[in-house]
């Protein structure tokens, strides 16, 4: 090195390079050790060095080539940030390409060099005023990508100008820039009023600008779920629909997604289905699926829509495999919601052998969903074909699918079984095992029908090596032990390796042998004792010997089951027979359907990631971004009543109603037989146990709900407290029957509101209202089962509340609530429960339990249900009390928009137990003096001033407990306005 | 929206990255590599991969994975469709889309990507417009650029982009005015072992190459438009007119574009132009199997079938095959077990056949699965669905253009089970 230096002293530049190189070499040598790595580093530093020189060259061409090299290095992930100042120096140029290249560089590295990036600001601001719209747009676009706070400050002014630029290209770029800026500094965007400008752009004349504005707004709205950025009105919807037809395909996606959040009644979207871009198709399908919910089925239009939906969906399947996959996941949803759309298109889901595996599995799933009596032959032939494919996973799924077809389409069961038998004959190991697992399911669905195949199954006993298949086979042997001659031998052979089996097989074996014993007690006594001791002692021995394998020891399930059988058999063989050989419930058709509420939600997310994962976005979307729950619009009233669960009265047909009325005897019986009846909480217990304040619902209250089934008889002292209520409640229920026709004389009843949406309560929806009739209060509930499983064992309990409201009788739901059924119940309430002041005063926290879980909700009850019938005060008394109550307790309210005259007001209030004590006419105004009493004995006095012709009333309330005034006023308002 | 894009080759190197928002570290691709390892073949990598903070959506084309990184809930189809569009654009720019070509043109690629997406929102995806913004590299242009120092970046706003017809630029001029339309149909079918059709459908497209001066307004009518009940159009087609009269009326984009694509579904009767007679049998005892295939024409309306290639994935147990074709050439790869027979033209008088024996692993039981035969072929001057263009008219311009229509039928996923 030294020599070369000496030899070339007359050339200035190379010398400097060599010197620099030497310097870098020394520095690097300190840091790195590996010679190879060192060499690479050295080489790279050399390149940087060279680039630096080129960047500072005077020649334009050289400069440009250098920047290109820099960009090329950047794209492959090399760090070229060291060249920052040199590259920025090239920014001031007329050459557009060079400018663009420098901009590309800036976007990547500005963040790492914020101080240097400031150098670029001036050029940006200048470029934003350039006469060429392309350059204006480029500058504002790039500025938005530079995520440096100092630069964003300078961005505001140019951005504002560009948002109002005369050229639509600049405007549309600027719209996106607002979204970028919002991402960097949301506060700034709001302060500068950019959001309003953006909203104005929705009504821009250029469709491209509209689309980008919508896209930007949607993105901003996503991080602000509560904001009403995209509140659409019919005018803006019309604008969007016009733009929809004219803008680019991507714009159409943004607009359609935005439309899907709104619910207009329009059919122009149908056109969009004829589009080449798959994302546009799915967005349009989403909008249509939502609207179809509102259309009634007998309209011709509905049929046309259905016909229009099918072909585009099918066409999606001829696209690239990745698109197919996403489309199939969505079709899976659509098929579950509306199978009629694709019922004729079964064939397109047939699998091609070179489809990627993820497409194959998805197609198979949809085939089963579409299988029906009409096409089952075709489907089975296909499935059988798949069962001979190469791919093991796919073959397994195909065999399972045959079983699912058998269970789903009863007429085809026979054919399915024979197909499965054919497959077993192939003796391909995994096919046989899978077939046996599904045949077990078929046995459970159609007991005593296909037992003739058992012999064939038994032949394959030895080849089974997977736990699931072994367990299934053992189950079959145990279940049909009486028909298999050598059942004991078969089971005994399994028993030999008991220790090495998986838990699943061990449990199954235990049960099967017990079954066998109960069926053939004479010859199998030894066997059963062997298995019981194996199952139970296994653990006992493990307790002594800790060195044994953990596989045996972590098995309390097995031990417990063993003990239960043991005791059952030793104490009462008859009972054992009843328990073990009891009739089994038939398995349901399809176990993997998505819950209807979730399905409805997912339909709203067609085309998004949510629909690919079949999970609501809230379940997986990142971080603090709130997610707005979307739901399908409710069907309009004109829609068929039998179809929609909301209007279905099936839950409480008239014939059942007498059942609902709890007669006194019934109730007593129930109280005494709590352990036999459904596990309901005894209200008396609740009143005594509730003492822990606000956490009640989670603590003691819950215990009594769950433990309700355990106590045998309620404390005798509590019974009388309860007896008063049932009589009244029975009566009130009688009235309640008529109240649906026309309110008899009771106080005002608010329409039922949804208190607990199905989404939050695993499918149980509760809506309800409060009523007061002839002295008793009741809570009218409507329970709807929107889940897939049957609900039983309902119970209800209240937290302590301001007025001591408590259920006066247990919640009586007589029949189990099957899916999609609704039941109406009137729950009598008493006011003798324990008292705790709530905030707000009329807040009521409720816990409802069923066989699935315990759910909590809170609701506000109208105060007028607490107004008692003897609330009319004597005149003198009224005057005295009015004077007696200090003036600071008086509260004054305005009741607006109530066009009633004094008589009407008086009589209406009277029916809700607000009594007019006196009436005067002062200077043309009607003054009503009224009194009412709450259940806890608080009197409220009122003065109501009515001016004829003026719909606004003035209400003055005086009460010793002024905090109720506000709620009394609300009660006034609800009574008068309804 | 789309955060970043990584291009990954089949050996797992990231050779290009582009970020539209903040920079996402390339370590995010590790999740993709994991999935890639799990999938046995590149085609089986799932298109949507969740990671703790991002989602990776990928497409696999030309032996390159295009992996998009997204962070929020976006329509995945939108992303995947966009990725395919990126590939198409590259192909359009460079002729082929492969790793070396992308590496050679890395700057142009980068510029194009920047132009296609802004902040994750698609900006310009029409290749017409892109080509005006960034000119594709040609040898001539490279030479000219080096000499004159001009650039390959357009410095004017593309005129068409914001007009009412965004797909067409103004001021187009040609000395020869011509409009060519290619009706290309691909037939997808599954034939079962007895020769009957299980499912068959036709995917058709009409690709156009229109080089016409000015602002021509074209109408295209069909002899039997009833066939087209499931169509998707280029945005230029006036949908109302199609709905009411079944006539395609449009102002065409300049150059090559896809006018419409259509789908003739399985419900209509689809003619199957070829048949395959096969006898593939394994015997339990012997280590030799018999193999025989004959291909013949069927419902071809008198047209010849050309470019026939028969491929079949043989079972793992097959060690080798000794076959004699009556025409064409055949290969068998003993590693991948892929048999390929390049037949060429089918002469109806002398049907091509491939006969011989397969040698199986000695002692092994006979294979469980039957090989599926897939077929490729071409038929010129025939649209198998029967679609025929009636006439093409031009309005709005004075000159007389030269018009041409070509038909072609190809095999898509055409499979015969044995």
């Amino acid at each position: 090195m030294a020599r070369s230096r000496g030899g070339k002293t007359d050339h200035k530049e190379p010398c400097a390079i060599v010197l620099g190189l030497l310097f870098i070499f020394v520095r690097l040598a300190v840091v790195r050790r590996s010679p190879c790595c060192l060499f690479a580093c050295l080489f790279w530093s050399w390149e940087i060095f060279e680039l630096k020189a080129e960047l500072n060259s005077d020649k334009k061409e050289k400069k440009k080539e250098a920047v290109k090299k820099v960009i090329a290095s950047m794209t492959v992930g090399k760090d070229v940030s060291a060249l920052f100042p040199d590259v920025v120096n090239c920014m001031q140029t007329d050459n557009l390409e060079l400018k663009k290249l420098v901009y590309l560089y800036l976007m990547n590295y500005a963040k790492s060099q914020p101080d240097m990036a400031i150098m670029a600001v001036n050029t940006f601001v200048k470029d934003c005023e350039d006469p060429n719209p392309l350059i204006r747009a480029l500058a504002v676009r790039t500025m938005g990508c530079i995520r440096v706070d100092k630069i964003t400050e300078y961005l505001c002014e140019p951005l504002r100008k560009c948002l109002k630029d005369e050229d639509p290209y600049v405007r549309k770029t600027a719209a996106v820039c607002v979204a970028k800026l919002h991402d960097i500094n949301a506060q700034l965007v709001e302060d500068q009023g950019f959001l309003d400008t953006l909203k104005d752009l929705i009504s821009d004349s250029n469709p491209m600008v509209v689309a980008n504005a919508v896209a930007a707004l949607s993105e901003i709205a996503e991080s602000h779920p509560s904001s009403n950025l995209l509140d659409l009105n019919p005018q803006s919807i019309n604008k969007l629909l016009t733009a929809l037809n004219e803008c680019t395909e991507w714009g159409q996606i943004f607009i359609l997604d935005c439309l899907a959040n709104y619910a207009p009644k329009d059919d122009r979207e149908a056109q969009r289905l004829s589009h080449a871009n798959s994302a546009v198709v799915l967005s349009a399908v989403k909008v249509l699926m939502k609207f179809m919910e509102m259309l009634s089925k007998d309209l011709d239009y509905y049929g046309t829509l259905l016909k229009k939906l099918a072909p585009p969906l099918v066409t999606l399947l001829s696209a690239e495999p990745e698109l197919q996959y996403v489309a199939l996941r969505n079709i899976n949803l659509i098929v579950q919601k509306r199978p009629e759309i694709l019922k004729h298109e079964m064939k397109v889901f047939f699998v091609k052998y070179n489809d990627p595996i993820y497409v194959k599995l998805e197609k198979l799933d949809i085939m089963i969903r579409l299988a029906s009596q009409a096409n089952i032959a075709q489907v089975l032939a296909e499935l059988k074909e798949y069962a001979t494919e190469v791919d093991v996973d796919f073959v397994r799924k195909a065999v399972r699918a045959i079983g699912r077809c058998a269970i789903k389409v009863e007429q085809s069961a026979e054919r399915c079984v024979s197909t499965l038998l054919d497959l077993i004959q192939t003796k391909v190991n995994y096919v046989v095992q899978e077939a046996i697992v599904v045949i077990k399911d078929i046995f459970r669905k159609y007991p005593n029908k296909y037992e003739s195949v058992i012999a064939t199954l038994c032949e394959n006993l030895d080849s089974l090596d997977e736990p699931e298949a072994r367990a299934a086979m053992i189950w079959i042997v145990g279940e049909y032990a009486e028909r298999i001659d050598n059942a004991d031998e078969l089971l005994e052979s399994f028993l030999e390796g008991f220790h090495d089996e998986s838990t699943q097989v061990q449990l199954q074996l235990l049960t099967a042998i017990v079954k066998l014993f109960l069926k053939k007690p004479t010859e199998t006594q030894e066997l059963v004792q062997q298995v019981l001791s194996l199952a139970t002692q296994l653990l006992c021995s493990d307790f002594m010997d800790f060195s044994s394998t953990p596989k045996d020891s972590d098995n309390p399930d097995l031990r417990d089951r063993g003990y239960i059988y043991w005791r059952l058999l030793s104490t009462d063989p008859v009972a054992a027979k009843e328990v073990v050989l009891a009739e089994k419930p038939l398995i349901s058709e399809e176990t993997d359907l998505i819950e209807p509420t979730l399905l409805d939600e997912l339909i709203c997310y067609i085309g998004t990631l949510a629909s690919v994962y079949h999970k609501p976005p809230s379940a997986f979307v990142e971080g603090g971004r709130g997610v707005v729950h979307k739901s399908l619009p409710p069907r309009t009233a004109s829609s068929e009543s039998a179809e929609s669960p909301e209007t279905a009265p099936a839950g409480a047909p008239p014939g059942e109603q007498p059942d609902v009325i709890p007669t006194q005897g019934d109730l007593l019986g129930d109280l005494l037989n709590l352990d036999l009846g459904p596990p309901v909480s005894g209200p008396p217990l609740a009143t005594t146990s509730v003492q822990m304040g606000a956490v009640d619902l989670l603590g003691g209250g819950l215990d009594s709900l769950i433990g309700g089934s355990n106590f045998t008889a309620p404390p005798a002292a509590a019974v009388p407290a309860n007896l008063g209520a049932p009589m009244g409640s029975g009566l009130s229920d009688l009235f309640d029957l008529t109240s649906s026709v026309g309110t008899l004389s009771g106080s005002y009843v608010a329409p039922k509101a949804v208190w607990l949406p199905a989404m939050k309560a695993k499918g149980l929806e509760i809506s309800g209202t409060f009523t007061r009739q002839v002295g008793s209060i009741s809570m009218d509930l409507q329970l709807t089962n929107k889940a897939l499983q049957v609900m039983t064992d309902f119970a209800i309990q209240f937290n302590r509340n301001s007025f001591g409201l408590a259920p006066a009788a247990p919640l009586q739901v007589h029949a189990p609530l099957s899916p999609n059924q609704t039941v109406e119940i009137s729950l009598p309430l008493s006011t003798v429960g324990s008292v705790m002041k709530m905030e707000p005063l009329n807040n009521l926290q409720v816990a409802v339990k069923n066989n699935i879980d315990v759910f909590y909700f809170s609701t506000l009850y109208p105060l007028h249900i607490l107004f008692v019938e003897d609330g009319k005060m004597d005149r003198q008394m009224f005057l005295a009390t009015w004077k007696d109550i200090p003036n600071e307790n008086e509260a004054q309210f305005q009741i607006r928009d109530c066009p009633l005259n004094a008589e009407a007001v008086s009589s209406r209030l009277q029916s809700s137990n607000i009594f007019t004590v006196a009436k005067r006419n002062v200077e043309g105004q009607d003054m009503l003096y009224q009194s009412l009493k709450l259940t806890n004995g608080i009197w409220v006095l009122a003065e109501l001033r009515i001016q004829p012709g003026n719909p606004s009333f003035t209400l003055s309330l005086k009460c010793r407990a002024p905090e109720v005034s506000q709620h009394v006023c609300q009660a006034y308002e609800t009574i008068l306005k309804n | 929206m789309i955060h970043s894009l990584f291009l990954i080759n089949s050996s797992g190197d990231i050779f290009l990255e582009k970020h539209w928002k903040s920079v996402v570290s390339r370590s995010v691709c590790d999740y993709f590599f994991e999935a890639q390892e799990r999938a046995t073949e590149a085609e089986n990598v799932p298109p949507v991969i969740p990671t703790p903070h991002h989602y990776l959506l990928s497409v696999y084309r030309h032996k390159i994975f295009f992996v998009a990184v997204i962070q929020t809930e976006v329509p995945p189809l939108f992303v995947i469709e966009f990725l395919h569009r990126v590939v198409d654009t590259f192909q359009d720019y460079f002729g082929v889309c492969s790793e070396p070509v992308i590496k050679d043109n890395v700057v142009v690629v980068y510029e194009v990507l920047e132009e296609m997406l802004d902040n994750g929102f698609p900006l310009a995806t029409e290749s017409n417009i892109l080509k005006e913004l960034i000119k594709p590299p040609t040898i001539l242009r490279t030479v000219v650029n080096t000499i004159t120092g001009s650039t390959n970046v357009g410095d004017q706003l593309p005129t068409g982009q914001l007009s009412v017809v965004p797909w067409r630029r103004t001021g187009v001029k040609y000395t020869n005015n011509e409009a060519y339309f290619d009706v290309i149909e691909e037939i997808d079918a599954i034939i079962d072992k007895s020769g009957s059709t299980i499912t068959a459908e036709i995917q058709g497209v009409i690709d156009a190459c229109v080089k016409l001066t000015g602002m021509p307004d074209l109408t295209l009518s069909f002899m039997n438009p009833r066939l087209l009940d499931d169509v998707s159009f280029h945005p230029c087609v006036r949908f109302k007119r199609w709905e009411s009269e079944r006539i395609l009326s449009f102002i065409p984009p300049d150059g090559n574009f896809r006018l419409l694509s259509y789908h003739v579904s399985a419900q209509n009767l689809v003619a199957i132009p070829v048949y395959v007679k096969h006898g593939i049998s394994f015997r339990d005892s012997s280590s030799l199997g018999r193999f025989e295939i004959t291909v013949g024409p069927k419902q071809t309306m008198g047209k010849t079938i050309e470019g026939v290639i028969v491929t079949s994935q043989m079972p793992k147990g097959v060690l080798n095959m000794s076959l004699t074709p009556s025409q064409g050439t055949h290969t068998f790869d003993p590693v991948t077990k892929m048999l390929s027979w390049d037949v060429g033209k089918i002469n109806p008088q002398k049907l091509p056949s491939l006969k011989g024996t397969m040698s199986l692993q000695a002692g092994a039981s006979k294979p469980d699965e039957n090989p599926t035969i897939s077929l490729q072929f071409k038929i010129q001057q025939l649209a198998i669905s029967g679609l025929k263009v009636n006439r093409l008219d031009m309005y709005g311009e004075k000159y007389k253009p030269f018009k041409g229509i070509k038909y072609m039928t190809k095999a898509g996923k055409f499979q015969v089970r044995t």
Side-chain angles (χ1 to χ4, degrees), chain A residues 384-509:
Chain A
K384 197 176 168 189
E385 198 67 47
Y386 302 157
T388 61
E389 281 240 12
V390 196
D391 196 321
V392 178
D393 280 345
F394 180 58
V395 171
R396 283 175 184 275
K397 186 140 189 189
V399 177
R400 291 244 158 156
I402 297 177
R404 275 170 67 186
C405 283
I407 292 166
K408 190 174 172 199
V409 186
E410 187 164 358
Q411 294 81 356
S412 73
E414 182 132 14
R415 216 189 301 223
C416 294
V417 171
S418 71
T419 311
L420 286 171
L421 281 181
D422 286 352
L423 290 174
I424 289 177
Q425 299 301 347
T426 62
K427 305 272 181 201
V428 180
N429 189 288
Y430 51 84
V431 175
V432 173
Q433 309 215 27
E434 212 60 42
I436 287 181
V437 172
V438 297
I439 286 184
K440 183 198 82 175
D441 285 345
I442 295 178
F443 280 165
R444 287 210 53 185
K445 172 80 184 178
Y446 311 108
N448 305 319
K449 222 168 161 185
Y450 300 108
E451 281 68 36
S452 50
V453 305
I454 290 176
T456 326
L457 301 185
C458 289
E459 284 166 25
N460 292 290
L461 214 56
D462 302 331
S463 63
L464 305 180
D465 52 11
E466 285 162 33
E468 206 182 348
R470 284 174 83 87
M473 193 63 220
I474 293 170
W475 183 87
I476 294 172
V477 174
E479 187 68 17
Y480 298 102
E482 68 273 27
R483 304 183 204 188
I484 306 173
D485 298 334
N486 58 346
D488 46 344
E489 282 167 41
L490 291 176
L491 290 176
E492 201 169 359
S493 69
F494 280 109
L495 201 58
E496 279 160 22
F498 193 78
H499 287 272
D500 303 325
E501 298 284 3
S502 72
T503 320
Q504 193 185 7
V505 181
Q506 287 176 338
L507 285 171
Q508 207 56 261
L509 195 53

Side-chain angles (χ1 to χ4, degrees), chain B residues 115-135:
Chain B
E115 228 34 79
M116 288 181 86
L117 218 58
D118 178 22
N119 194 36
F121 300 118
L123 197 60
T125 52
E126 286 275 326
S127 87
N128 271 326
I129 290 166
L130 278 173
K131 280 186 177 164
E132 273 184 67
L133 282 169
I134 295 150
K135 302 207 171 65

Side-chain angles (χ1 to χ4, degrees), chain B residues 75-90:
Chain B
L77 276 181
F78 155 90
V79 180
I80 292 175
E81 182 84 39
F82 178 81
L83 291 178
H84 282 298
R85 201 64 64 89
V86 169
V87 183
D88 294 342
T89 309
F90 287 173

Side-chain angles (χ1 to χ4, degrees), chain A residues 804-869:
Chain A
L805 281 177
L811 187 64
Q812 304 229 324
V813 183
H814 281 263
L817 198 56
S818 49
N820 270 335
Q821 203 190 9
T822 303
V823 66
E824 309 236 6
I825 300 157
S826 182
L827 179 74
L829 303 183
S830 69
T831 50
V832 296
S834 61
V835 174
M836 182 179 71
K837 195 169 160 191
M838 297 296 293
E839 189 54 46
L841 208 60
N842 56 343
N843 190 7
L844 179 66
Q845 297 176 334
V846 183
V848 169
K849 172 192 165 282
N850 64 9
N851 57 330
I852 299 169
D853 207 346
V854 183
F855 311 106
Y856 305 95
F857 62 90
S858 68
T859 176
L860 298 178
Y861 50 90
L863 213 63
H864 67 258
I865 61 165
L866 302 172
F867 299 170
V868 296
E869 279 69 13

Side-chain angles (χ1 to χ4, degrees), chain B residues 170-227:
Chain B
T170 47
V172 188
K173 267 211 170 72
Y174 288 102
T175 39
N176 294 326
N177 289 297
E178 15 179 55
Y180 297 108
F181 292 87
D182 293 352
V183 180
I184 302 167
E185 297 194 335
E186 284 194 5
I187 174 163
D188 290 350
I190 303 176
I191 314 285
D192 78 356
K193 50 168 106 25
S194 64
S196 52
T197 312
I198 292 180
T199 152
E201 49 190 344
I202 295 169
Q203 314 289 344
V205 294
I206 299 183
D207 281 343
C209 176
V210 176
K211 292 182 174 170
L212 297 173
T213 308
M215 270 287 173
D217 196 332
L218 303 180
T219 55
L220 188 73
S221 62
F222 298 98
M223 304 275 265
N224 36 11
R226 268 189 321 115
L227 277 170

